[in-house]
Amino acid sequence: MNQKIGRNDLCHCGSGKKYKHCHLPLDAAARRPAPAMELEETPPTPAASSNLEQTVRTLRELQNTGDKKQQEKIGRLLARTEPLTAYLTRKLEIQAATQALETHRQDFVNFVNDTTAYQDRVEALFAEDRFAPLRFTPEDLQRAFDHAGSPLSVPKEKLAEHLGALILNLADKEYRTSASINLLLCLPDYVAAARYMDGCLILSCGRLTTEEAKSTNPFLWQMFVHSYQAWTVAKQARMGV
């Protein structure tokens, strides 16, 4: 990306959205000085970790009892609690990985500016199986489509805007919090594998997912793309196609 893109120009990623509503937050995050670590310097107390772990065990036991509605409710509680337990367990490890990535900040800025390589990497990275649990379910998408309309019914010139609105509807506060924690949990593995650009990309998307609650980002777009593909397959199966 050799020429400076204006806020109202089409984004360099090809989404069809204006730059200010697409990659501007990510590009700004890559360029700004590294913020102080959001993670606390002190490790979690054994009592806090133990209480959370006991809560998770109890919920898992309860999930095997009761009716379907109760099981679904407990499943939602586990989805929120388990990532937090894992985060507390690996907190110092995540902190060390985050600090290690700061030495690659300028390389990441250069990487973001290489539009083609950057977009290819975004697509390849978030297609990996480890991110599959963070995708929206076909049921989630169907509810969003029932509320706001299917993309199939939207004119092409309004499609990007419509998809962005759908993503914001799906990525509510609860989802963003859980997804951000899960992204942080990935960092030590990517740093250990010397996949520094992927680590920087994950960290940037994790921060944007929590800090830019009214904006989409490359991670959320890719979660939607894969979810939409699964929804399409499920719909075709129901229709016997």
Side-chain angles (χ1 to χ4, degrees), residues 40 42-57 81 84-89 91:
E40 298 174 7
T42 54
T45 64
S49 296
S50 177
N51 289 340
L52 267 176
E53 290 170 0
Q54 180 58 50
T55 299
V56 170
R57 285 195 293 269
T81 308
L84 181 57
T85 304
Y87 167 74
L88 288 175
T89 301
K91 186 174 183 179

Side-chain angles (χ1 to χ4, degrees), residues 59 74-84 174 178 182:
L59 288 172
I74 293 174
R76 290 193 294 270
L77 288 172
L78 281 171
R80 293 197 298 268
T81 308
E82 287 180 321
L84 181 57
E174 182 177 319
S178 178
N182 278 287

